[in-house]
Amino acid sequence: MKNLLPAYGRLLALCLAVTAALGQEAPRLLPDRGLAGIRQQLLETGTDSRLMCVAAHPDDEDSETLAYYNRGRGVRTSIVLANWGEGGQNEIGSELYEELGAIRARETLAAAELLGTRVYCLNQKDFGYSKTIEETWRFWRREVALERLVRVLRTERPHVVITNHRVGSGHGNHQAMAELIAEAIPLAASPEAYTAQLVEEGLVPWRVERFFQQARHHEGLPGEDYDVAIRVADPDPIRGLTFQEIAAEALNRHRSQGIKGVWGRVNAAREQSPVNAFRLVVGDRPEGKLRDLFEGMAGAWWLDGSATPFKDLGPSEAATASERQFNAALRLALSNLLVDRLKVEASVSEAIASLSARAVEVDSATEWERFPPEAVLGEKEFWSAEDMERYQRQVLETLESIGDKQRRLERILGDLWGIRLEIRNEGKSPTPGEVSEVILEVSNRGEIDVEIESLRLEAPVGWTVEGIREEGAADARATLAPGEKHTRRFHVGVAPEEPPTLPATQSLYRALRPWPSNLRGLVLLKRADRYGRVEGEYRLEIEPAWELRFHPAAPLLRADRVAETSLSLEVVRHAREPKDATVAVTFPDGQRQTLSLSGSEMLQEAVPLEWKPSSSLGVGKHSLVATLLAPDARIDDGVLDYAMITDVSRPMMFRIVPEVMKGTHGRFKQVTLDKCKKFTLTADRPLYIHADGEIFSGPGTDIRKVSFEILPNALKVIRG
C-alpha cells in the first residue's frame, strides 16, 4: 500500500496535467439521477409552458435561457438546428463532413441532456462559413426547410420561440434561420398551409404567442433597447450552480469545436452579463417592459410569488376541488422528497387520483349539448377558426396535459420503488423484412415487493411484435422481490419497406430527431393499491441487405489515362437468407459494368473491377458509383428483372437516387420492381440505351422502340 499511494498520486497528477493541457476541466454537472431526477419530474408536472430555441448550428443555441426555464421552472424546452455543423473543423480527430456531423450530433445530445431539452435538425447543408444569406439559400433547400420547421412547430407547440439570430448581421446560415422562423410561425398557425401534415400526420395548426430575438449579445447591437431581460446568473439551489454555469457545462460538451480552451473564454465573457435581453418580434407589444418571456400566460407559476408550481389554492382562488387536491398533494411531495419517501409516494398517488376527477371536470365544461352531432364530427359550417383554436387549447390540450401528468407521476412511483427496465436485442442486427429477438428485462433495485401488472413492447406501424412463450418462464403478471429480475422475449419483425438505420452517419440526415428510437417498452406496476409504471426506449439498428465499399476508397489515376486501373468492390450480404442481386457500377467517364451476385454462395466477397479511363475524363476528382438496380434479381431464374420509375418530380428523383445505391428504392410508390420474360419499350422521342455498360443508342440516333427477351440456358458456360 505504501508503494501504491504515491503511484496513484502520480497517475492522478498526470491525468490532471493532460486535462489541463487539453483545455478541459472535470465536469461539475452530471445528468439528473435519483432524487434530483424525481424533483425535476415534479417541477415539469407543474406547468404546461413550452419554449423553443431556433439556431443554425450546434453550440448556437441559447443554453443559458434554456437552462433557466427548464431546470429552474420546469418548462418543456426544445432546440431546432439548421444542420449538424458538418462543414466545420474538428479539433479532436480527423473525421470530417458526415462523420463530423455525427460527432457533433452526439455532443449536442450530451449537452441537451444537461439542459433537459429535446433536439431537432432540419438537415440543411453546412458548407462552411457563409458570408451572406443569399449564399446560404443557394445551398439550402428553402421549401424543404420551411416545411420541416412548420412540422416541428406543430409537433412541439411552443408558446414562446427565441433565437440568437437576426437578418442583416452575422453568419449567412444564422440570417437564413432568422428569416425562416419568421416565415414559419404564421404558416404553422394556418390550416391552409401544409395540409398533408394535418390530414396524414394528425398534427394541428399551432399559433406561437410570442417570438423573441436576443438583444445586445450574439448578433445584437451593444446598448440596443429590449423588451424583457432574464436573470440567467441566478442560482439553482439543487444543483449548486447558476443557470449560466449549467449552460457552460453544456457548452463544454461540444468538444470537437472547443477543446483548445475557446469555451472557457466564451463562458468567461458570458459571466460578465448576468441577464439575457430580448426584443419582441411577434406578439402583443406591452406598454412597458415585460417581466418574463411568459408573462400573462397560463402556467407561469414563478411570476405569482410562489416558491413551487403547486401553490396553496385558497378560497379566493378560482379553482376546482380536484385542482386544490392536486396542488396540495404535490406541494407535500416536494417538501418531503429529502425526508420521507413513503410520504412522497402517498402524495404522488393522491395527485394521480385527483387527475381522474379533473378529466371529468374538463369534459363537462365543453358543453357538448351546444353543438349538434355534425359539429362534433367536424363539419366546417359549425366550426369557425376561433372555435377550433378555443376547443384545442381549452379542451384537447387540457386533456392531453392531464394524461401526460398522470404518466409522469406514475413514472415517479416506479422510480421511488427502484424498478428499472432494460431493452436489448440478441444477435446481429436485422435487415428490412427480417425478424430479431428483443429482450425486456425488469429489475427491482428497491427494498419492497412490486407487482408487474402488464408488460408490452411497442413497435412502428407495419412491424410485428410477438411474445415468445418459453417453457418454465414466469407469467407476465409476477411479483418482483428486491434484487430479482423478470425477463420477457419477443420476436420483432421489421417492415420490409423500413429503411436501414446503418450506417449511422447516413441515417442521421434522414430524420428530424437524431437517431430516434423505434421500440418502446412499457411495464405497468402495482404496490398495494397504488399504480406506477416504468418505460424505456430502444433503437433497434437495421442493416442494409447489401453493403458496398470500393477499395481503394480514393484511387489516383495517371493524367495520361493510358493505364488500366485495378479496383475492387467489396460486397457484404447482411441478409440472413440467401438473396441474389445485380450491381451496376458507373465509372466517372460514363462506362458501366454490371455484376450478378449469387447470395447463396457468398457473405462477403471482393469483386475485381478493371477500368481504362476514356479520353473524355478530365483531370480532377471524380466519383465511382455502385447501384443495386434490381435487388431481388437472380441469374438462374429464367426471367428478366426490371425497375421502372414514373411520374417523378426533380426533387423526388434526388430522393430516390440514394436509395438505388442501397437497393431500397422499391419502397417508393413511383418505383415498380417486377419480372417478365419479354418486354417492349416505345417512346415519342429518341431513346438513350445502355446495354451492360455499353452505349447502344445515344445522341445522333433515332431509336424509339426496343424489345428485350430472355433466352433461358442459351449460353453454355464451362467452369474450369
Side-chain angles (χ1 to χ4, degrees), residues 32 207 270 331 342 387 401 418 436 439 534 537 543 584 642:
D32 287 341
R207 180 175 59 85
R270 282 182 170 183
R331 188 168 62 254
L342 291 178
D387 286 336
S401 172
S436 182
I439 296 175
V534 60
E537 293 185 346
E543 293 187 292
Y642 68 87

Side-chain angles (χ1 to χ4, degrees), residues 24 49 92 95 99 152 159 170 179 200 229 247 251 257 346 420 512 536 542 583 590 614:
Q24 295 176 260
S49 300
I92 60 173
E95 298 88 350
E99 291 181 349
V152 176
H159 301 95
E179 187 173 89
E200 299 174 10
L251 190 61
Q257 302 185 66
R420 298 292 182 268
L512 286 172
I542 306 167
V583 179
S614 67

Side-chain angles (χ1 to χ4, degrees), residues 151-447:
R151 176 182 283 109
V152 176
L153 286 169
R154 289 172 171 175
T155 300
E156 281 294 314
R157 295 176 297 172
H159 301 95
V160 175
V161 174
I162 60 173
T163 185
N164 291 334
H165 309 324
R166 64 177 66 182
V167 177
S169 64
H171 196 304
N173 287 187
H174 295 190
Q175 296 185 56
M177 280 301 282
E179 187 173 89
L180 199 67
I181 184 60
E183 187 176 353
I185 285 175
L187 289 175
S190 171
E192 307 299 326
Y194 302 111
T195 55
Q197 296 179 2
L198 312 178
V199 176
E200 299 174 10
E201 301 176 34
L203 299 176
V204 295
W206 179 255
R207 180 175 59 85
V208 174
E209 296 188 40
R210 288 179 186 147
F211 168 41
F212 293 93
Q213 288 177 331
Q214 190 165 135
R216 301 195 173 190
H217 301 292
H218 298 281
E219 277 96 32
L221 302 175
E224 68 179 331
D225 196 16
Y226 59 88
D227 295 303
V228 60
I230 307 301
R231 280 198 58 84
V232 291
D234 285 351
D236 178 351
I238 297 299
R239 298 170 181 86
L241 300 172
T242 68
F243 298 112
Q244 277 185 328
E245 290 170 333
I246 292 174
E249 288 296 305
L251 190 61
N252 287 335
R253 296 303 188 270
H254 295 281
R255 296 183 63 247
S256 65
Q257 302 185 66
I259 196 173
K260 296 179 180 178
V262 63
W263 294 146
R265 296 190 294 273
V266 170
N267 290 326
R270 282 182 170 183
E271 292 176 359
Q272 299 304 310
S273 174
V275 301
N276 279 356
F278 296 88
R279 62 190 187 103
L280 185 65
V281 180
V282 173
D284 296 332
R285 185 170 296 279
E287 294 182 3
K289 293 189 184 302
L290 290 165
R291 291 186 297 153
D292 190 89
L293 300 182
F294 291 88
E295 183 178 357
M297 299 184 191
W301 58 268
W302 54 94
L303 298 177
D304 298 335
S306 176
T308 78
F310 314 110
K311 68 176 182 178
D312 185 6
L313 298 174
S316 61
E317 299 279 354
T320 64
S322 65
E323 289 174 319
R324 298 179 196 279
Q325 181 186 7
F326 179 81
N327 273 23
L330 293 188
R331 188 168 62 254
L332 192 61
L334 272 176
S335 63
N336 284 308
L337 191 57
L338 301 177
V339 181
D340 192 331
R341 283 198 177 194
L342 291 178
K343 289 184 178 179
V344 175
E345 179 184 335
S347 298
V348 170
S349 298
E350 184 179 351
I352 292 174
S354 72
L355 288 174
S356 300
R358 176 64 181 144
V360 175
E361 293 168 351
V362 171
D363 190 43
S364 63
T366 61
E367 299 177 330
W368 289 103
E369 64 273 11
R370 291 198 306 110
F371 300 100
E374 296 86 352
V376 177
L377 295 176
E379 292 293 334
K380 189 172 183 180
E381 58 264 31
F382 294 103
W383 286 91
S384 66
E386 293 76 14
D387 286 336
M388 291 178 66
E389 182 173 347
R390 179 186 64 82
Y391 177 73
Q392 176 188 333
R393 291 185 181 261
Q394 294 182 4
V395 180
L396 295 183
E397 277 194 49
T398 303
L399 291 173
E400 182 181 359
S401 172
I402 290 171
D404 289 341
K405 290 175 180 177
Q406 178 174 336
R407 287 186 290 272
R408 185 180 288 113
L409 293 175
E410 288 175 350
R411 288 195 297 269
I412 289 175
L413 289 182
D415 288 341
L416 288 171
W417 297 337
I419 307 301
R420 298 292 182 268
L421 173 63
E422 179 188 356
I423 307 174
R424 63 181 185 273
N425 73 303
E426 293 280 287
K428 69 183 294 293
S429 298
T431 62
E434 291 185 341
V435 175
S436 182
E437 185 173 311
V438 176
I439 296 175
L440 267 66
E441 184 177 271
V442 189
S443 59
N444 187 345
R445 303 180 185 181
E447 301 174 350

Side-chain angles (χ1 to χ4, degrees), residues 530-669:
R530 296 165 183 167
Y531 291 88
R533 69 170 58 202
V534 60
E535 299 172 342
E537 293 185 346
Y538 182 74
R539 179 177 171 88
L540 179 63
E541 299 291 3
I542 306 167
E543 293 187 292
W546 296 88
E547 187 175 357
L548 309 174
R549 291 189 290 263
F550 286 105
H551 297 287
L556 294 176
L557 310 181
R558 286 179 50 173
D560 56 15
R561 298 177 297 279
V562 297
E564 192 170 71
T565 301
S566 296
L567 305 168
S568 68
L569 178 63
E570 182 184 1
V571 183
V572 181
R573 175 172 65 82
H574 293 295
R576 298 173 190 144
E577 296 297 325
K579 180 182 289 189
D580 296 343
T582 300
V583 179
V585 181
T586 303
F587 293 94
D589 58 357
Q591 296 184 48
R592 291 167 60 89
Q593 290 185 25
T594 302
L595 310 173
S596 296
L597 306 176
S598 174
S600 61
E601 298 178 1
M602 55 84 69
L603 288 175
Q604 184 168 352
E605 182 176 325
V607 181
L609 301 173
E610 299 296 333
W611 169 49
K612 185 174 182 180
S614 67
S615 59
S616 63
L617 186 65
V619 177
K621 293 183 178 180
H622 304 273
S623 61
L624 189 64
V625 179
T627 58
L628 286 164
L629 296 175
D632 296 322
R634 297 179 60 90
I635 60 176
D636 58 355
D637 59 1
V639 295
L640 293 169
D641 286 74
Y642 68 87
M644 180 171 61
I645 302 176
T646 58
D647 298 328
V648 61
S649 63
R650 184 179 295 271
M652 192 61 189
M653 178 62 75
F654 286 118
R655 177 71 181 87
I656 292 176
V657 167
E659 303 287 339
V660 177
M661 311 297 179
K662 300 173 291 186
T664 56
H665 50 296
R667 65 191 184 92
F668 292 94
K669 64 181 181 180

